[in-house]
Amino acid sequence: AQKVTQAQTEISVVEKEDVTLDCVYETRDTTYYLFWYKQPPSGELVFLIRRNSFDEQNEISGRYSWNFQKSTSSFNFTITASQVVDSAVYFCALYTGRRALTFGSGTRLQVQP
Amino acid sequence: GAGVSQSPSNKVTEKGKDVELRCDPISGHTALYWYRQRLGQGLEFLIYFQGNSAPDKSGLPSDRFSAERTGESVSTLTIQRTQQEDSAVYLCASSSDWAGELFFGEGSRLTVL
C-alpha cells in the first residue's frame, strides 16, 4: 500500500506564529521520495521540497523547515514566523517508482494578519 | 512557453456531452501526469505517461475517461458522456526526472451542468 495522511484539514494562525503541518506516510518500499507542495489561492501547485528516504537530515530554507523521521514515518513541515502570504493549501506527497506521485488530502493554512 | 500549459482554463458543458482537455508539458519533460481535484479536496491521480506510453492508468475512474499523448509532447484527456460528478479541476504536470518533482499547470476547470 502507498498512502499519505495529512490529518489536519485546516489550521488558522495569527501572523508571526510558528505552525507545523503534519504528514504521515505508508509504503513497503525502502527507496522513496517525499515532497511538499504549496497551492496558493491562484491554484497552481508549487514544489517546495523533495527528500529521499536515505537522507534523514532535517532541512531549513529560510522560514521553512522539514523534519523527516523514518521511525515514525513522518515528514512534517514547519513555517516559522508565519506571514499572510503563507496562506495556502499544503500537500505532502510520496513517490516510490511503483506508482505516480501520491498526494495527501492537503492542509489548508490560514494566516490572519 | 516556459511552463506547463493547459487549455481550456474553464469549460462548462451539459451532462452527456464529451469534452477534451489539453496539456502542453514543459519542453523536454518525458513524464506527464493528469490529476483531478474536486472542490476543496486533494489531488486524485488519473494517469501517468512516460513518453507516449502509459505505464500507470490505474487512476482513471471509468471507461468514459481516456488519455493520449503524442510522443513526448501534448496530451489530451477525453471524458465521454460527462456526468455532474466529473466537475472538478483537471491538473496536468510534467517532470524531467523519474523521482517525482512535478511542474503543474494552472488546471482546466470543468463544470458539468
Side-chain angles (χ1 to χ4, degrees), chain A residues 13-111:
Chain A
V13 299
V14 176
E15 213 171 14
K16 297 185 184 176
E17 283 186 28
D18 298 348
V19 58
T20 296
L21 310 180
D22 297 335
C23 173
V24 174
Y25 62 92
E26 292 178 33
T27 179
R28 293 179 186 155
D29 292 273
T30 56
T31 301
Y32 52 88
Y33 291 79
L34 295 161
F35 298 78
W36 277 94
Y37 282 82
K38 175 182 180 180
Q39 187 176 39
S42 60
E44 190 169 344
L45 280 107
V46 177
F47 165 84
L48 295 178
I49 189 171
R50 174 174 65 191
R51 175 52 52 89
N52 76 57
S53 53
F54 298 107
D55 182 3
E56 285 193 74
Q57 279 195 337
N58 291 332
E59 181 156 341
I60 298 174
S61 175
R63 296 184 297 107
Y64 294 171
S65 62
W66 290 269
N67 183 355
F68 176 28
Q69 292 197 339
K70 288 178 77 170
S71 61
T72 55
S73 297
S74 66
F75 187 45
N76 296 338
F77 173 30
T78 297
I79 302 174
T80 304
S82 59
Q83 300 177 1
V84 172
V85 293
D86 296 328
S87 296
V89 180
Y90 291 86
F91 291 96
C92 181
L94 169 68
Y95 183 81
T96 65
R98 293 178 184 274
R99 296 196 60 189
L101 197 60
T102 299
F103 286 84
S105 55
T107 297
R108 181 177 299 277
L109 174 64
Q110 292 192 334
V111 182

Side-chain angles (χ1 to χ4, degrees), chain A residues 95 100, chain B residues 4 23-26 28-34 47-53 55 69 71-73 75 92-103:
Chain A
Y95 183 81
Chain B
V4 177
C23 173
D24 262 297
I26 293 173
H29 280 194
T30 57
L32 186 147
Y33 302 78
W34 283 99
I47 188 169
Y48 153 60
F49 287 93
Q50 183 63 41
N52 62 4
S53 67
R69 187 179 185 195
E72 294 184 354
S73 183
S75 174
C92 177
S94 68
S95 177
S96 63
D97 67 22
W98 69 273
E101 181 182 345
L102 271 55
F103 293 83

Side-chain angles (χ1 to χ4, degrees), chain B residues 13-20 62-66 78-87 110 112-113:
Chain B
T13 190
E14 292 180 349
K15 179 180 172 181
K17 302 277 190 180
D18 297 351
V19 296
E20 280 191 357
S62 75
D63 59 8
R64 296 187 296 105
F65 287 72
S66 62
T78 302
I79 309 172
Q80 296 178 307
R81 305 181 302 282
T82 51
Q83 304 293 314
Q84 287 182 333
E85 63 262 27
D86 299 334
S87 296
L110 174 66
V112 182
L113 301 177

